[in-house]
């Protein structure tokens, strides 16, 4: 009686007999010897592998620890290249096998293609140790899931690495999502491929912006880089949509253009999914579910899930995002009525508040988070002469104001119909830009009986008249606006006008009136969730404290103002200048100059002009020569720098010459790595000097070190 002793390692046939054997016949033994000598089928690329070192290490580790790993990601993100680099690092007994499924349209053929590539029946894999790389599973995803699930269960020595635009969703699967390269890696890749096309190429201005526009997608970068043979980088950037249509002749058809790569995923969507993809491509930047519902014209949650599964959408907490390069393909296909639905959605957020002093801060903050899509909605409304453009323009302008770009805010407002909230907002923007005649004309052009909007027009009129020196008329306009708002339920608007009236009274010398207005305003705004508005009022209160000679109160109020609003280029300069005035009164002239120079730099970059009366105070109190020679701190670091305050060393805090040099370079804004290159040291040595300096001086942060250096230079310079 024969006894089964296992299966043949070559063909998988059942082995029988008393003697244990590995193969069923000499023929299978010879086949096994040939298999061992046969090279692995993983492709070797002729060009260099750039920018994925971290992903390479992480994915290699995952493949070593798990028997089924799927590398997922959008079209063109480099899944195949990364997978082959990972596979090349493995040497299982029976090889590493690359199975390209791109040209297979019938899922029933997947098992046969795998068997043909390996050269043995799939049953033979039960006793073999090998790595199977299945590339491009997405269009035969169900068949791949079925065969992989069976192989992993029945073949204990088999490891599968799959690439797909969506997960296989089988037991035991681990997924590794891949996205675009970061900017640094993307620039390296572009430079490498550009030099391959033109050895004379040197990185130029615009490369980083170009790579950002391409979402860091390696395929897009590889398609764009060769054009430097014929065009400067800026021209490549300007012609991106046209230049991404031609790639390497030897590439697979789906990788010969970015559009073809995205089209591959699009073709795999359901009809509803395709319609949603086209509609959602109208949205720029991140968007929430309710905006997706609006542009799709139906509940979109399941459609978003389908698009995300195919790597056509990125999911983030509470919102979604379509890569710009993928979005461009949807726009090429046509967005249908999505532009109109987007314009309607943006308009509907504002319509209930159209006759108020301004839309509620929460509404404006929410729209500001989607300002790119608001801009798309405005472009559509203007192109179609849609009356909804007025409120959409108002929303977009407030976003530009929040970012400190007043010129762009004015451009948006002047393109829109000149009425209502557009005129009220234009009055404020023009005044901030120093165009007081336009500010007054815009305010006077508002024609409305709505109390909130009428108060906004009067407020704008008062501000313009104040700048023009027409005190009595300005005071009257402010008073009329306050009378309306005290009887109208818009507390944030009331607080805004109270503050600006108080500021005007300080300028006009009526301190008692200013105090009364501020007391009322602070009581109103402290009950509202409007930190930016409150920050402005606290600055006004700090100015009043300076007027009465209370430097401690002034410093505390200016600091609180800056704490509340650290990033707003419209307000941060004022708070920092207030701290500069206090510092100058206390004899910290160099420190005051550094603060004033920083504030001036922030304001200049935002295209703003300073309040004339406030500027006069600064000119009278601060040393112009010191300001001119001071090194400004950028907006991103200004608040931390200013709030650190002048730092005094400990009595025994004597820095060595090397420590002082390193601290000076920190004050100049250099990083540890930059300092190391400058001094010829290692970054670790620089870090050690900084630790010693901080310990000696009793400070904790780089900003405080910089503050100490400025103060020290002022004391000894």
């Amino acid at each position: 009686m024969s006894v089964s002793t296992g299966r043949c390692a070559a063909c998988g046939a059942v082995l029988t007999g008393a003697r244990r054997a590995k193969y069923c016949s000499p023929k299978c033994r010879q086949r096994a010897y040939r298999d061992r000598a046969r090279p692995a089928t993983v492709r070797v690329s002729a060009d260099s592998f750039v920018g994925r070192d971290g992903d390479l290490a992480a994915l290699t580790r995952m493949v070593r620890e798990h028997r089924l790993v799927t590398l997922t990601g959008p079209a063109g993100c480099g899944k195949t290249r990364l997978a082959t680099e990972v596979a090349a690092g493995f040497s299982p007994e029976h090889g590493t096998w690359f199975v390209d499924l791109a040209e297979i349209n019938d899922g029933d053929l997947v098992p046969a293609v795998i068997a043909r590539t390996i050269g043995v029946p799939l049953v033979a894999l039960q006793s073999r140790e090998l790595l199977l790389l299945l590339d491009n599973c997405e269009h035969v995803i169900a068949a791949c899931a079925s065969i992989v699930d069976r192989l992993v269960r029945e073949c204990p020595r088999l490891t599968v690495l799959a690439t797909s635009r969506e997960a296989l969703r089988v037991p035991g699967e681990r997924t590794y999502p891949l996205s675009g390269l970061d900017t640094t890696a993307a620039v390296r890749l572009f430079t490498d491929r550009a030099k391959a096309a033109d050895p004379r190429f040197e990185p130029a201005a615009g490369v980083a912006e170009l790579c950002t526009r391409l979402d860091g997608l390696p395929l897009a970068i590889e398609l764009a880089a060769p054009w430097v043979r014929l065009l400067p980088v800026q021209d490549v950037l300007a012609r991106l949509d046209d230049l991404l249509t031609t790639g390497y002749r030897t590439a697979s058809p789906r990788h010969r253009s970015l559009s073809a790569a995205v089209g591959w995923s699009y073709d795999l969507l359901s009809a509803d999914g395709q319609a949603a993809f086209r509609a959602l491509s109208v949205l720029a930047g991140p968007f929430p579910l309710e905006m997706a519902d609006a542009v799709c014209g139906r509940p979109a949650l399941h459609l978003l899930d389908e698009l995300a599964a195919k790597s056509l959408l990125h999911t983030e907490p509470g919102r979604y995002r379509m890569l710009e390069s993928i979005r461009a393909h949807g726009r090429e296909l046509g967005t249908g009525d999505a532009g109109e639905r987007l314009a309607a959605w943006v308009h509907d957020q504002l319509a209930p508040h159209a006759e108020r002093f301004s839309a509620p801060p929460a509404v404006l903050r929410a729209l500001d988070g989607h300002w790119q899509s608001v801009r798309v909605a405005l472009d559509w409304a203007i192109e179609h002469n849609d009356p909804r453009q007025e409120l959409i323009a108002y929303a977009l302008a407030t976003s530009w104001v929040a970012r400190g770009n007043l010129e762009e805010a004015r451009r948006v407002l002047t393109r829109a119909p000149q009425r209502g909230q557009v005129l009220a907002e234009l009055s404020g923007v023009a005044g901030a830009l120093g165009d007081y005649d336009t500010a007054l004309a815009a305010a006077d052009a508002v024609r409305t009986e709505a109390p909130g909007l009428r108060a906004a027009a009067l407020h704008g009129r008062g501000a313009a008249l104040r700048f023009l020196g027409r005190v009595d008329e300005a005071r009257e306009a402010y008073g009329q606006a306050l009378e309306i708002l005290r009887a109208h339920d818009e507390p944030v608007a009331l607080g805004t006008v109270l503050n600006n009236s108080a500021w005007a009274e300080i300028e006009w010398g009526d301190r008692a009136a200013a105090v009364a207005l501020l007391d009322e305003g602070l009581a109103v705004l402290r009950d509202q969730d409007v930190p930016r508005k409150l920050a402005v009022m606290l600055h006004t209160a700090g100015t009043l404290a300076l007027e009465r000679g209370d430097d401690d109160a002034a410093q505390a109020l200016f600091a609180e103002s800056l704490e509340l609003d650290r990033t707003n280029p419209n307000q941060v300069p004022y708070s920092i200048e207030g701290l500069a005035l206090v510092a100058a009164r206390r004899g910290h002239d160099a420190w005051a100059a550094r603060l004033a120079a920083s504030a001036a730099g922030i304001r200049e970059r935002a295209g703003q002009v300073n309040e004339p009366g406030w500027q006069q105070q600064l000119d009278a109190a601060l040393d112009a020569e010191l300001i001119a020679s001071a090194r400004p701190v950028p907006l991103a670091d200004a608040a931390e720098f200013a709030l650190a305050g002048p730092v005094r060393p400990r009595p025994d805090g004597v820095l060595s010459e090397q420590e002082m040099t390193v601290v000076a370079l920190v004050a100049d804004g250099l990083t540890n790595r930059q300092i190391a290159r400058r001094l010829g040291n290692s970054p670790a040595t620089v870090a050690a000097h900084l630790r010693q300096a901080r310990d000696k001086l009793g400070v904790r942060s780089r900003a405080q070190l910089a503050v100490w250096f400025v103060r020290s230079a002022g004391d000894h310079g």
Side-chain angles (χ1 to χ4, degrees):
M1 179 178 178
S2 62
V3 178
S4 172
T5 59
R7 292 183 179 272
C8 174
C11 71
V14 175
L15 297 173
T16 60
R19 185 172 63 86
R20 296 187 63 85
K22 194 170 185 180
Y23 307 104
C24 66
S25 67
K27 182 178 179 181
C28 281
R29 183 179 294 107
Q30 292 300 317
R31 177 191 289 177
Y33 293 157
R34 287 195 302 270
D35 286 347
R36 291 173 190 169
R38 182 188 299 169
T41 64
V42 174
R43 302 170 180 176
V44 177
S45 183
D47 53 21
S48 56
F49 181 67
V50 178
R52 291 286 192 194
D53 294 343
D55 290 314
L56 179 62
L59 184 58
T60 298
R61 185 166 54 251
M62 184 178 285
V63 173
R64 292 193 188 282
E65 294 173 354
H66 303 283
R67 294 182 51 233
L68 172 56
V69 176
T70 304
L71 180 57
T72 63
C77 71
K79 298 184 294 295
T80 298
R81 182 60 188 275
L82 177 59
T84 56
E85 292 290 330
V86 168
F90 285 78
S91 54
E93 179 183 354
H94 296 97
T96 299
W97 300 91
F98 180 92
V99 182
D100 187 356
L101 300 173
E103 305 304 323
I104 306 303
N105 295 317
D106 184 350
D108 291 341
L109 297 177
V110 171
V113 172
I114 296 174
R116 186 176 68 239
T117 302
I118 300 174
V120 298
L122 294 185
V123 68
L125 301 184
Q126 292 180 354
S127 58
R128 294 193 171 204
E129 179 193 17
L130 57 82
L131 172 63
L132 184 62
L133 199 171
L134 297 180
D135 195 37
N136 304 305
C137 297
E138 55 272 356
H139 63 301
V140 283
I141 195 73
C144 285
S146 176
I147 188 63
V148 167
D149 182 42
R150 180 164 68 87
L151 288 175
V152 170
R153 283 188 287 105
E154 296 178 358
C155 307
R157 303 176 69 198
L158 172 70
T159 298
V160 177
L161 172 59
T163 74
S164 176
R165 296 179 192 180
E166 61 179 304
L168 300 182
R169 298 183 182 177
V170 298
E173 179 186 30
R174 297 293 187 275
T175 58
Y176 190 94
L178 198 63
S179 57
L181 298 167
D182 62 42
T183 302
T184 301
V187 169
R188 283 176 52 211
L189 177 61
F190 183 93
T191 302
D192 181 86
R193 300 309 191 249
K195 282 183 175 293
D198 181 359
R200 299 166 298 174
F201 175 79
E202 292 296 334
V207 172
E209 182 184 355
L210 188 153
C211 291
T212 300
R213 278 274 308 277
L214 296 173
D215 301 308
L217 292 179
L219 174 61
I221 292 169
E222 302 232 14
L223 292 172
W227 286 100
V228 300
R229 297 189 314 269
L230 304 174
L231 298 171
V233 169
Q234 290 295 344
D235 287 354
V236 175
L237 185 58
R239 294 171 170 80
L240 271 183
D241 289 345
D242 297 327
L243 301 182
L244 298 181
T245 58
T246 304
Y248 296 115
R249 291 188 181 93
T250 56
S252 64
R254 67 194 176 84
H255 278 161
R256 287 180 191 157
S257 75
L258 187 60
S259 181
V262 178
W264 172 271
S265 290
Y266 174 81
D267 291 341
L268 299 175
L269 295 171
S270 67
D272 286 344
Q274 291 179 347
F277 174 77
R278 296 192 301 272
L280 292 168
S281 68
V282 80
L283 300 176
F287 56 88
L289 176 60
E290 57 266 28
M291 189 181 286
D293 290 342
V295 299
C296 289
R298 57 183 292 185
L301 181 60
H302 294 298
L303 298 171
L304 294 173
D305 183 58
E306 181 182 358
L307 295 179
K310 297 289 191 295
S311 298
L312 290 170
L313 275 185
H314 275 256
T315 59
E316 302 170 6
R319 59 185 190 173
Y320 304 83
R321 183 169 64 90
M322 188 178 288
L323 295 180
E324 185 61 29
S325 46
I326 292 175
R327 180 173 166 252
H329 183 74
R331 296 199 307 275
E332 287 175 8
L333 295 171
T335 58
D337 296 331
E340 181 178 7
R341 289 195 291 264
L342 173 61
W345 184 84
V346 175
H347 176 270
D348 290 349
Q349 309 307 302
L350 295 161
H353 318 292
E355 295 186 336
R356 292 168 59 98
F357 184 97
S358 65
V363 172
L364 293 177
R365 280 197 301 268
L367 288 173
D368 181 54
H370 317 304
W371 68 270
Q372 300 103 316
S373 291
V374 174
R375 183 168 59 182
V376 172
L378 180 60
D379 289 342
W380 182 92
I382 290 174
E383 180 183 350
H384 293 82
N385 196 28
D386 191 289
R388 290 172 288 200
Q389 62 183 286
E390 176 192 338
L391 288 182
I392 300 172
Y394 163 71
L396 184 58
T398 62
S399 289
W400 285 121
V401 169
R403 287 167 171 76
N405 193 334
L406 297 179
E407 284 290 358
E408 185 61 23
R410 175 158 64 177
R411 190 188 72 81
V412 167
L413 292 167
T414 53
R415 290 173 67 199
Q418 299 297 286
R419 56 179 180 259
Q421 283 188 324
V422 165
L423 284 170
E425 187 70 14
L426 178 59
S427 178
V429 169
L433 288 167
D435 186 355
Y436 307 130
D437 291 330
T438 297
L440 181 59
D444 286 345
V446 176
R447 297 287 181 266
T448 180
E449 296 302 319
L453 197 51
R454 182 64 188 150
L458 287 165
H459 174 247
R461 174 177 170 79
L465 290 168
R466 177 172 70 84
F467 287 128
L468 292 169
R470 294 158 62 175
V471 175
D472 291 340
E473 293 173 89
R475 184 177 274 135
E476 180 183 7
Y478 278 138
Q480 290 173 345
L482 287 173
E483 183 179 354
I484 292 171
L485 290 172
R486 285 178 176 131
H488 187 61
D489 185 24
E490 284 197 62
V492 175
L494 175 60
T496 298
V497 180
L498 285 167
N499 173 75
N500 292 341
S501 299
W503 183 259
E505 294 295 351
I506 294 172
E507 185 177 294
W508 298 330
D510 192 338
R511 194 178 299 162
V515 169
L517 290 164
L518 267 182
D519 286 346
E520 182 183 356
L522 284 169
V524 170
L525 286 190
R526 285 196 184 276
D527 286 339
Q528 307 298 315
D529 182 21
V530 284
R532 285 193 164 183
K533 298 287 187 183
L534 182 57
V536 176
M537 184 166 282
L538 290 169
H539 174 270
T540 304
T543 304
L544 261 181
L546 279 180
E547 290 270 326
R548 65 176 184 266
D550 190 344
D551 292 352
D552 289 341
Q555 174 152 339
L557 288 163
F558 290 137
E560 185 181 358
S561 173
L562 188 55
E563 285 278 15
L564 283 173
D565 195 356
R566 289 168 162 255
T567 60
N568 180 6
N570 304 315
Q571 179 57 32
V572 167
Y574 287 102
S575 301
I576 290 177
E577 286 165 341
L579 292 171
L581 289 173
V582 174
R585 286 192 178 193
R586 291 174 170 171
H588 304 316
D589 293 336
W591 167 250
R594 185 82 185 272
L595 292 179
S598 302
I602 295 167
R603 189 176 283 117
E604 181 180 0
R605 282 188 290 277
Q608 301 175 26
V609 295
N610 204 351
E611 288 258 7
W614 180 247
Q615 186 61 53
Q616 289 174 9
Q617 288 190 58
L618 297 172
D619 292 341
L622 304 178
D623 188 318
E625 290 186 6
L626 282 177
I627 294 173
S629 62
R631 185 184 182 91
V633 177
L635 176 62
D637 304 317
E640 181 182 1
F641 183 84
L643 291 169
V647 179
R648 291 288 188 181
R650 293 175 177 175
D652 58 345
V654 179
L655 301 189
S656 69
E657 181 178 349
Q658 189 74 358
E659 290 164 355
M660 182 65 84
T661 300
V662 170
V663 171
L665 293 173
V666 167
D668 280 342
L670 274 66
T671 65
N672 284 10
R673 193 171 296 278
Q674 290 169 330
I675 295 171
R677 283 199 297 267
R678 178 81 62 88
L679 301 180
N681 293 331
S682 71
T685 300
V686 171
H689 285 312
L690 289 177
R691 281 196 302 272
Q692 292 166 355
R694 285 196 297 267
D695 289 345
K696 288 181 179 181
L697 298 175
V699 301
R700 293 181 296 175
S701 70
R702 296 174 76 89
Q704 288 176 316
L705 280 175
V707 169
W708 175 85
F709 181 80
V710 171
R711 177 72 181 96
S712 177
D715 289 344
H716 300 98

